[in-house]
Amino acid sequence: MRTSDGRDHRGTPGTTAQTVIRAARIHTGSGTVLQHGFVLVDGGVIVAVEGAGTPPPEDVETVDLGEVTLLPGLIDAHVHLAFDATGDVMTPMLELEDDALLDLMHTHAQLHLDAGVTTVRDLGDRRFGSLVLRDRYRSDPASGPELLASGPPLTRRKGHCWFLGGEADTIDELHAAVSERAERECDVVKVMATGGVITPGFLPHQSQYGPAELTAIVTTAHHHRLPTVAHAHGAQGIRDSVAAGVRSIEHCTFLDATGVSPDWDAVARMIDAGIFASVTGASLPGLELPPVLQARAEQVRVNVQRMHTAGARIVCTSDAGVGPHKPHGVLPHGVVDAARVGFSNVEALASVTTVAAAACGLAGRKGAITAGHDADLLAVQGNPLETIGDIHRTAAVFRRGLRVR
C-alpha cells in the first residue's frame, strides 16, 4: 500500500497488517467528532476513518476500545531526552558514558510514549545521541516515539547549555556547525539566541547572537533544507530571530532584567511571517515560586493569552527534563493549562496535534486522524473536548498502529 506521498508502508518493520480500531468517539483533529466509528490501519498508516453507519471490513483484526475518545497522538515539540528532571542536569552530561546516557534517554522517551506523546522533538542533546534513538525508533516504531532531533544546540562559548557541545562564536564556526548537522542528517537546527536559566553566563534576557550571526545560521540551514528554531527569552533576541526567518521561537517569554516586557510589534511580525511560538509552559501543577518569579510567570501566561487572541501560531510544549516540575511525559498538563488561559478545548488539543505537526514540518503525516497519516493514536476515557482534564485518563496508545499501552 502506497500513500499519496509515494511512501511504501507495507512490510515496514514493526508495523501491523490491516487492523480496525473502534471507539465511541473519534476526534479527527479538526474539531470533527465521529460517533461510534472506526479507524482502518494498513501497514502502520491510516487508510480510512468512518463514523456510525459504515460497517468495518470483514475478516480484519479488530481492537474495540469501547467508551473512549480516540485522538491523534500528542506531539511535544520541545524536549531534552538527555536531561534527568529528577536531579542535576549538567553533571550527567559531563560524566555519563555514551551508552549509559543513551539508556537514560530511551527511558525518558518511554515516559513520553506512556503519556500519549507519540512524537517528540529533541532540541538539545549531547554528541548527537538522539540521532541513534531516532533511527532505532524508525526501524522499530513500537520501541519509542517518532523522534526529531537537533543535536547539540548552537551556543556561545560558555553560553547557555555549553556543556552539550554546540559552542560556536564566529560566523565561520556557525557555518561549519550548521553544515555538520546537515551532514549528520539532523532534522532541525537549534540556536540559543539568548541566555537561559540552567547555566551561568548570559542571562535569559541577554542576546548571545546578533542579527548577522542569526541570519548566517538560518541562511546556511536553508541551503541544507533544514529549518531553524531559536531559544529566545529577551525581546531583542526574539526580534532578531524573527528578522532572520526562524521557523519558531522557543519560550518566547519577553523577559527583561526585572520582569516581562512584551514587544507586540515583534509578535505582529511573527504572525505575519507565520512563525510559531513554542511556549514551553507544560509543567506539573502546584509549583511554588517566590513572589517575584510567580508574578513574572503570571505575566507570561497573560501574554500567551493575548498572543493567542491576536492569531499567533502557538504550540504547547514542555521543555521536559529541565527540572522536577517538568518530568518527561508532562505535556498533557500543558494542554489543560492552555485551556485555562483562554484556548478552547479544541484549540488546546490542536496546539499539541495539528499545530505542533505543522511546526515540526510533519503536517502531512502527523497530528490528525485522517487517511494517509501515521496511525499514531491516543485513546482516553471520557471526552476532553468537553472536559479537558480527561486528557490525563489514558486508555491506550498506538504507535503506527501497534498498541504500546
Side-chain angles (χ1 to χ4, degrees):
M1 186 272 295
R2 191 174 292 275
T3 59
S4 58
D5 65 358
R7 294 173 295 129
D8 191 352
H9 292 284
R10 187 179 298 278
T12 300
T15 59
T16 64
Q18 282 201 335
T19 306
V20 166
I21 301 172
R22 303 185 66 123
R25 292 165 299 278
I26 301 173
H27 172 50
T28 62
S30 62
T32 301
V33 179
L34 302 176
Q35 302 292 332
H36 301 291
F38 67 88
V39 177
L40 177 61
V41 179
D42 189 339
V45 176
I46 298 168
V47 295
V49 185
E50 302 289 351
T54 301
E58 297 180 358
D59 301 323
V60 173
E61 179 185 355
T62 298
V63 179
D64 192 341
L65 298 172
E67 191 63 26
V68 303
T69 302
L70 194 63
L71 308 164
L74 309 186
I75 299 169
D76 195 337
H78 189 136
V79 309
H80 297 279
L81 293 178
F83 288 4
D84 184 359
T86 65
D88 173 27
V89 168
M90 186 186 304
T91 300
M93 298 303 100
L94 299 175
E95 297 181 355
L96 276 184
E97 297 292 335
D98 286 351
D99 287 346
L101 184 58
L102 198 63
D103 287 344
L104 182 65
M105 294 171 69
H106 176 65
T107 297
H108 293 160
Q110 304 314 300
L111 296 175
H112 288 281
L113 196 59
D114 197 52
V117 180
T118 54
T119 299
V120 297
R121 186 170 64 173
D122 189 296
L123 291 183
D125 68 9
R126 187 192 74 180
R127 292 203 286 270
F128 301 93
S130 54
L131 298 181
V132 178
L133 282 187
R134 180 196 66 186
D135 294 345
R136 179 192 302 177
Y137 297 160
R138 285 181 179 174
S139 64
D140 181 10
S143 67
E146 179 89 7
L147 176 56
L148 305 179
S150 71
L154 306 182
T155 191
R156 292 286 300 275
R157 279 179 172 75
K158 294 301 179 182
H160 184 48
C161 289
W162 62 269
F163 51 85
L164 295 176
E167 292 171 298
D169 284 337
T170 69
I171 286 179
D172 284 345
E173 290 173 340
L174 292 167
H175 280 310
V178 173
S179 296
E180 179 187 9
R181 282 147 183 76
E183 291 168 4
R184 290 178 178 268
E185 299 184 345
C186 291
D187 302 289
V188 60
V189 174
K190 163 85 174 292
V191 56
M192 301 298 199
T194 71
V197 176
I198 62 175
T199 40
F202 292 89
L203 296 174
H205 68 282
Q206 294 177 321
S207 293
Q208 294 198 148
Y209 296 111
E213 290 84 5
L214 291 170
T215 299
I217 293 166
V218 172
T219 300
T220 307
H222 181 74
H223 173 75
H224 292 291
R225 299 185 178 180
L226 288 175
T228 303
V229 302
H231 157 111
H233 286 291
Q236 188 61 55
I238 293 170
R239 286 191 292 266
D240 291 342
S241 297
V242 170
V246 300
R247 174 175 283 180
S248 68
I249 304 292
E250 305 299 313
H251 309 296
C252 202
T253 54
F254 289 101
L255 300 183
D256 60 22
T258 58
V260 181
S261 298
D263 181 337
W264 297 110
D265 287 339
V267 172
R269 289 195 293 273
M270 287 177 61
I271 294 170
D272 288 344
I275 295 171
F276 295 89
S278 171
V279 293
T280 52
S283 63
L284 295 178
L287 176 66
E288 295 186 6
L289 295 171
V292 171
L293 294 182
Q294 185 62 43
R296 182 180 295 188
E298 288 301 319
Q299 184 60 55
V300 169
R301 287 163 57 91
V302 169
N303 292 343
V304 169
Q305 182 177 16
R306 179 170 168 180
M307 290 168 63
H308 171 62
T309 301
R313 304 171 80 185
I314 293 179
V315 185
C316 175
T317 58
S318 70
D319 205 7
V322 297
H325 61 298
K326 288 183 176 289
H328 294 281
V330 76
L331 185 65
H333 287 282
V335 178
V336 175
D337 193 57
R340 292 194 184 115
V341 299
F343 288 61
S344 70
N345 290 0
V346 170
E347 291 169 336
L349 291 168
S351 74
V352 293
T353 54
T354 53
V355 179
C360 293
L362 299 173
R365 194 159 65 86
K366 305 283 185 182
I369 302 179
T370 188
H373 279 53
D374 291 347
D376 290 354
L377 306 168
L378 165 64
V380 298
Q381 301 288 344
N383 186 355
L385 295 168
E386 296 178 355
T387 305
I388 197 64
D390 287 346
I391 194 68
H392 292 296
R393 300 175 63 194
T394 305
V397 179
F398 295 84
R399 177 80 171 92
R400 285 185 59 83
L402 293 164
R403 189 167 183 173
V404 294
R405 172 174 171 174

